[in-house]
Amino acid sequence: MEKLLSASEIAALKIPGLPTTRAAVNVMAKRDGWEFELATGIGGTRRLYRLPAKYLPPSTQDSQQRPAAPVVGTIVRGSSQVDMHKLELAIKAVDTWEQTRDAKIDADRRPAVITVLYEFLVKSEGSDDAAIDVVLRALG
């Protein structure tokens, strides 16, 4: 099942190439014609967007779609470069953690957990395995 996200949720993910404010996400989504559904709740109606595949990690993209252009480097403050190896490690580590504990991280928390793990991997000076262990032990 595909997750629909509000503009605020998309901005909070801080995905390279996407704006980091709700208003800017709404402008980009309208300009680029993103698919959305209307959701009515407390406070009125809001748009929930399907994030275009080009902004998703390769493991979540449909295999029929064109492969994403490779990105090289690590995240640098003020840039959009991503160390794809470390990002893939973070995603696989969270998947493994869920499988070995027969548990699921709440879908709303999962991107934040992956982000924290990724940032820790980028900043850690030790091995990737040791860094992963430290963060995943904090999950319980």
Side-chain angles (χ1 to χ4, degrees):
M1 185 168 127
E2 188 175 19
K3 174 99 168 111
L4 300 175
L5 302 169
S6 69
S8 296
E9 292 169 327
I10 293 169
L13 292 174
K14 299 187 188 300
I15 297 172
L18 291 180
T20 56
T21 66
R22 179 187 54 80
V25 169
N26 280 322
V27 168
M28 178 184 251
K30 184 175 183 178
R31 181 191 69 216
D32 294 346
W34 292 3
E35 293 181 36
F36 66 91
E37 292 180 16
L38 294 176
T40 304
I42 297 174
T45 302
R46 64 185 177 142
R47 291 182 179 200
L48 297 178
Y49 296 103
R50 274 185 195 83
L51 201 53
K54 68 182 181 180
Y55 298 112
L56 299 174
S59 62
T60 61
Q61 292 181 7
D62 184 1
S63 61
Q64 301 294 337
Q65 294 181 358
R66 180 179 57 136
V71 180
V72 180
T74 61
I75 289 183
V76 177
R77 187 176 296 276
S79 80
S80 61
Q81 294 181 326
V82 175
D83 183 330
M84 291 304 292
H85 174 70
K86 291 192 186 287
L87 180 58
E88 288 171 0
L89 277 176
I91 293 168
K92 287 178 183 175
V94 170
D95 290 343
T96 301
W97 183 89
E98 289 179 323
Q99 291 170 358
T100 59
R101 288 175 173 65
D102 196 27
K104 275 290 192 198
I105 297 172
D106 182 57
D108 293 334
R109 281 191 62 219
R110 186 177 172 81
V113 171
I114 291 170
T115 300
V116 168
L117 181 54
Y118 170 80
E119 289 175 353
F120 192 77
L121 285 169
V122 170
K123 293 176 185 174
S124 69
E125 295 181 19
S127 74
D128 290 340
D129 290 338
I132 288 170
D133 288 343
V134 168
V135 174
L136 294 182
R137 265 190 265 129
L139 287 175

